[in-house]
Amino acid sequence: MAELRWHPLIGDWVMIASHRQARPQMPKDWCPFCPGSGKVPQDYEVYEYDNDFPALSQDPPAPDDVATDFFKVKEAYGKCEVVLYSPGHTTVLPELSDRHMRKLVELWCERFEALSQDEKIKYVFIFENRGDVVGVTMPHPHGQIYGYSFVPKKLELELQNAKAYQQEHGACLFCDMLKNELDFQKRIIFRNEHFTVFLPFFTEYPYGVYIFPNRHVRYITELDDAERQSLGLTIRDTVGMLDSLFDYKFPYMMCMHNAPVNGEDAGEYYHFHIEFFPPMRSADKQKFNASSETGAWAHCNPTCPEDTAQELREAYARYMEGRK
């Protein structure tokens, strides 16, 4: 069973995919993403793998016969892909070379472009879940890409606010946000020629850093050659910084926000960026999304962003010292 059901209270589609209940936990003595499994090439560096248990499909089954005049359903059209970062089962991003990270960025761009060619797909979402506490069932280093037939609600809200800001101020909301963070400086973690890593003024998570391109682009595919090289290193060093924070592999959700595809051109007002959601508030305490966060979308950050930004700058310095 796989279909989309309309949530009338928030105006969004919910993916119903009961077959995903059968997806396995990682076997102790076998990994489908490792060379030799028969599931992937014997020799690869990065690799796109179609999800074995997709919530969305380009050949979706007919929805169940449960729709009424009030309750709406539609086919779960789209695509779910897995992006394998490395053949090494325990490899982490900070261990990958500059060249390897560039190949990963190129694969993300290649898949973004390929999914965008399907006119039924309206949003391409590149993301990574890392760690047991965010529900990862396969620890082999990988991320995912979902191609949705709709624009998910959070992205829709970002687009609406960015468009309204552009109409009112004649400027990009994201560019102005970055300018204000740079003026304030205390939440900037590190910056290079092409990207800025910072802890936003409004961060919902204690260590929820953002990565912004310094240049206004809509999509990851609009980054030029130098920016693509820099993006790989910036992501790698951001993860290395998080790992250095408490000296363990830090769990996180990494979400790439691009403009929608096959719809309104949001080029003037939408700005590609990456958001991290690490579910820890200290070395041994998890930040849970409980009733206020989940039921009301009213987030509470139990830390001061300016203080945790300083912790992150110190962790980044330790990480960079270790790379020498």
Side-chain angles (χ1 to χ4, degrees):
M1 175 192 183
E3 63 194 33
L4 302 180
R5 295 191 180 188
W6 182 248
H7 189 325
L9 302 183
I10 62 171
D12 199 14
W13 291 100
V14 176
M15 294 179 287
I16 304 294
S18 60
H19 65 289
R20 285 179 56 80
Q21 279 286 74
R23 70 189 192 276
Q25 291 292 120
M26 178 67 217
K28 292 183 179 180
D29 58 352
W30 180 79
C31 171
F33 300 156
C34 285
S37 68
K39 291 276 194 175
V40 297
Q42 189 62 34
D43 183 24
Y44 75 87
E45 289 186 281
V46 295
Y47 184 68
E48 181 275 321
Y49 180 99
D50 284 356
N51 197 310
D52 288 325
F53 297 89
L56 304 166
S57 167
Q58 288 171 304
D59 184 24
D64 282 8
D65 186 18
V66 292
T68 67
D69 290 341
F70 183 82
F71 292 116
K72 296 188 292 183
V73 301
K74 71 175 183 176
E75 291 181 334
Y77 189 90
K79 188 81 188 293
C80 295
E81 299 182 346
V82 176
V83 174
L84 304 183
Y85 294 172
S86 166
H89 184 69
T90 59
T91 302
V92 291
L93 283 179
E95 295 173 345
L96 298 179
S97 68
D98 295 7
R99 184 187 64 82
H100 197 122
M101 287 304 302
R102 174 58 186 266
K103 293 196 76 167
L104 178 56
V105 171
E106 290 301 331
L107 181 56
W108 281 328
C109 291
E110 174 190 314
R111 298 314 305 159
F112 185 93
E113 187 65 35
L115 291 174
S116 300
Q117 297 306 306
D118 183 340
E119 293 187 356
K120 292 184 180 180
I121 288 177
K122 304 303 179 185
Y123 198 86
V124 180
F125 187 53
I126 304 169
F127 64 98
E128 179 190 354
N129 298 320
R130 189 203 208 200
D132 293 344
V133 297
V134 297
V136 173
T137 57
M138 293 289 184
H140 192 109
H142 71 284
Q144 299 183 64
I145 306 177
Y146 277 19
Y148 303 103
S149 62
F150 58 97
V151 178
K153 180 57 66 175
K154 179 172 182 177
L155 283 307
E156 182 183 2
L157 288 172
E158 276 192 7
L159 285 155
Q160 289 173 357
N161 284 304
K163 185 175 184 179
Y165 187 90
Q166 197 274 335
Q167 290 173 340
E168 181 178 354
H169 299 279
C172 167
L173 171 63
F174 302 89
C175 292
D176 279 3
M177 183 192 307
L178 180 57
K179 179 181 182 300
N180 278 271
E181 290 289 1
L182 289 169
D183 287 345
F184 187 71
Q185 276 294 308
K186 291 184 180 179
R187 290 180 296 270
I188 302 296
I189 313 302
F190 69 92
R191 176 177 166 87
N192 54 47
E193 181 181 355
H194 303 291
F195 294 92
T196 302
V197 179
F198 63 98
L199 195 65
F201 170 80
F202 50 80
T203 184
E204 302 154 340
Y205 284 71
Y207 304 104
V209 294
Y210 282 19
I211 300 175
F212 268 29
N214 297 334
R215 182 171 70 90
H216 181 88
V217 295
R218 296 172 298 171
Y219 304 119
I220 188 174
T221 49
E222 291 182 342
L223 298 173
D224 64 25
D225 185 75
E227 288 167 331
R228 292 186 185 197
Q229 180 69 27
S230 181
L231 177 62
L233 307 189
T234 303
I235 292 173
R236 182 188 67 190
D237 293 346
T238 299
V239 175
M241 170 194 69
L242 292 172
D243 288 353
S244 295
L245 187 61
F246 301 123
D247 198 27
Y248 61 74
K249 294 179 182 178
F250 209 63
Y252 60 76
M253 295 161 277
M254 178 181 73
C255 304
M256 296 193 188
H257 287 202
N258 289 273
V261 299
N262 300 312
E264 179 182 346
D265 182 0
E268 288 188 5
Y269 57 86
Y270 200 78
H271 192 121
F272 165 72
H273 64 285
I274 301 174
E275 302 181 4
F276 278 78
F277 300 92
M280 304 301 292
R281 58 188 176 93
S282 68
D284 58 356
K285 294 184 178 68
Q286 187 175 344
K287 189 224 181 279
F288 291 98
N289 278 351
S291 296
S292 178
E293 289 86 355
T294 303
W297 291 359
H299 289 268
C300 179
N301 181 351
T303 63
C304 172
E306 290 72 39
D307 293 341
T308 47
Q310 179 59 31
E311 289 182 59
L312 289 167
R313 281 192 294 272
E314 292 170 0
Y316 177 69
R318 289 194 299 273
Y319 164 74
M320 294 304 291
E321 182 65 26
R323 288 196 66 85
K324 291 180 180 178

